[in-house]
Structures are given as C-alpha cells and as structure tokens.
Amino acid sequence: MKRIFRSCILLFLLIFATTLWLPRLRYISESGRLYTGITESSAFRSQPVNSALAETISTIENPGEYLAVYWLENRFGHTSEPLSPDHIVEYRKRWERSEGWGEYLSACQAVWDDLTYFPVAEPSGESGMKVSFEDSWMYERSYQGERGHEGTDIMPSRNERGVLPIVSMTDGVVQNKGWLELGGYRIGIRAPHGAYFYYAHLDSYADLEIGDEVKAGDLLGFMGDTGYSKTEGTTGKFPVHLHLGIYIFHGDGEISVNPYPALKYVEDRRLKYKSQ
C-alpha cells in the first residue's frame, strides 16, 4: 500500500513539474526564431503579408509592432494562425526577452509606421491614367550583370513621361538627389523611423534639395524613364515607370526589403495632385 502511495506521489510530482516546464520548453524552442541579425534573413526581407493579414493591418494605424509579433508567431508566413491586435502586448511578452528583439522591432517599425500615402498621385485632368504593380521582388535583372530586383515597379497605363506626380509616402528628410547610372534621376527620403525610401527613374524634380524636410504627400517629381546609362539625362531604355525601393539600416550599411506589401497597404491612399 505504501509503495502504491509513493508511486502516486511521484506521478503527481512528475505531472506538476511537467505543467510548469512545458511553457518554458516551448518558449526556449520557439525563441530560436528570433536572433541577432534576423533582419538580414530572406524571410524578413520578403515582408510576407497574405490577404488575411493585409485586411487586419489595414485597420491598424502603425502596424510595425503587430507585424513583428505576427511574423514570429506564424514563422514568417509558414502558418496563418489568427492574432488579435487587442492581445498584442500579451503575445509580445513571449518575444521581447529574446536577444535581437529591439533591433528586429525597430526594423519592422521603420518599414511600416511612417507609411501614409501611395507614391503616385493622380494629376488633375488625367483621371483616366491608372497605375499597376506586381511583386517583382528579387526577379532577375541583367543590366550591369545578373542581379536581383530590389524594389517594385509601378507602371502607368500610358507610356508618357512627365505626367504622373510622384509624392513622398512618408514624412522625412531629403538624403540623396541626382543622377545614378541605374536609377536615373532619383531622390531618397529618410523617414522618421529610419527607413530610406528610394524613388527612381524620375523625369524631373520638384523644388527640393538635400537636407530639406518633406511631409507625406509632398511632390518629389514626375514619373519618367531615365537611367541605365552613365550619361545624365538618358531616356528610352525601358518603359516609363517608378521604381520604389525601401532600405533599412543594418550595421554599417543598408539592406533592402520588399516594398510590394507596403505599397498594397497604402494602395487606396492615392492623392489628387493639382498643378500650381
């Protein structure tokens, strides 16, 4: 009888210890998803947002923190478990103790929390001019050798340069302006959370200089087809379009992330532009 009693006690203690350790073991096993340097991973850089997730973040003003937690919980798109925005703080606690959380969260917020407008405005008198874009992230490009396409191209319904106004998606500061062999006439805006928004192949610029502050929706220039040449002003090497790139700081350099999900997030926020 004593032997049976001792066995029951041991079994009870074993079950009790298991209930205490299972959550801890789960945390240890899952925390490996978050590590220093995670922003360099292809999973993070691809910015995976499916239709259900897109619908959810459309209701969130600053979705950076939500996406940071959602991607970890769902293995960067490998699963699609629902995650209520109302319980974000509770979910966050499981990750914020892990090494790399601060850098990772800041990167998510840098990409997402300054987004305000779609970068191509609708000009007055051109209401029929439509634009389209596809997810061409890291598709092959051959100019200057084989390379991946680090951006998204926004194409107009008519191949006319100098018609469609390009506006800043975010508040920020003009960090770069001028000719690049690949990007033609380009302008780069550093947004408040640190992301760099790169607008390339412009036909012309607005009255802006390096160091100027811009507000979301401010005119940057007009869509064009400049670039693919060392000779400034070259046009006609490809159809008129806007190449948008988004970059975040990493160490001493920058890495690109897929702009397509961010563009879908602001797709319905297209301004109407009235020329002066």
Side-chain angles (χ1 to χ4, degrees):
M1 195 68 181
K2 289 182 178 180
R3 188 174 298 173
I4 294 174
F5 179 74
R6 284 199 298 270
S7 297
C8 290
I9 293 295
L10 289 173
L11 181 60
F12 171 77
L13 291 174
L14 178 61
I15 293 173
F16 180 71
T18 301
T19 59
L20 290 177
W21 274 96
L22 274 178
R24 178 62 179 168
L25 290 173
R26 181 189 175 197
Y27 167 75
I28 292 171
S29 66
E30 292 183 343
S31 64
R33 297 180 206 167
L34 178 58
Y35 52 90
T36 300
I38 191 173
T39 55
E40 292 181 276
S41 69
S42 59
F44 170 80
R45 292 179 65 200
S46 66
Q47 301 283 287
V49 176
N50 58 30
S51 57
L53 180 55
E55 184 175 349
T56 298
I57 64 174
S58 68
T59 66
I60 302 173
E61 184 175 353
N62 297 309
E65 181 182 49
Y66 178 87
L67 286 169
V69 175
Y70 182 93
W71 283 330
L72 291 173
E73 290 285 331
N74 289 280
R75 302 175 185 271
F76 285 93
H78 286 94
T79 61
S80 56
E81 294 296 324
L83 181 64
S84 170
D86 296 332
H87 299 150
I88 191 67
V89 174
E90 176 185 343
Y91 284 103
R92 170 179 168 151
K93 288 178 181 177
R94 295 211 306 120
W95 301 102
E96 61 187 4
R97 294 172 290 171
S98 299
E99 187 176 358
W101 168 256
E103 175 193 17
Y104 168 68
L105 175 63
S106 294
C108 293
Q109 291 173 325
V111 175
W112 289 91
D113 284 1
D114 294 317
L115 297 172
T116 305
Y117 295 118
F118 190 73
V120 183
E122 183 178 310
S124 57
E126 291 286 347
S127 58
M129 181 76 95
K130 299 179 180 179
V131 296
S132 61
F133 57 98
E134 298 179 353
D135 189 354
S136 59
W137 173 244
M138 299 311 290
Y139 281 20
E140 288 186 2
R141 293 290 188 272
S142 57
Y143 183 80
Q144 288 190 333
E146 297 299 325
R147 56 187 173 81
H149 185 231
E150 294 189 344
T152 298
D153 291 337
I154 303 176
M155 313 298 297
S157 56
R158 296 199 308 271
N159 189 43
E160 297 180 27
R161 66 175 71 100
V163 175
L164 288 176
I166 305 304
V167 300
S168 182
M169 299 176 72
T170 69
D171 292 349
V173 175
V174 178
Q175 184 168 317
N176 289 300
K177 177 188 174 185
W179 184 264
L180 287 179
E181 182 178 353
L182 279 177
Y185 289 122
R186 63 66 162 99
I187 191 165
I189 306 296
R190 182 71 62 185
H193 281 84
Y196 179 75
F197 288 77
Y198 171 81
Y199 307 83
H201 308 311
L202 300 181
D203 177 69
S204 59
Y205 292 115
D207 185 17
L208 291 169
E209 299 299 336
I210 293 174
D212 286 353
E213 293 186 1
V214 297
K215 293 294 184 183
D218 282 355
L219 180 68
L220 302 179
F222 288 84
M223 186 185 289
D225 58 346
T226 57
Y228 276 27
S229 175
K230 293 181 180 179
T231 303
E232 182 172 343
T234 297
T235 61
K237 298 286 188 178
F238 42 75
V240 171
H241 69 281
L242 172 70
H243 170 98
L244 175 74
I246 301 178
Y247 297 79
I248 57 172
F249 273 121
H250 183 79
D252 295 329
E254 291 179 324
I255 59 173
S256 59
V257 299
N258 187 1
Y260 179 79
L263 283 168
K264 294 296 289 184
Y265 176 68
V266 294
E267 185 175 18
D268 295 331
R269 306 182 201 174
R270 189 178 178 190
L271 294 174
K272 293 186 180 296
Y273 174 77
K274 293 183 180 180
S275 58
Q276 302 298 322

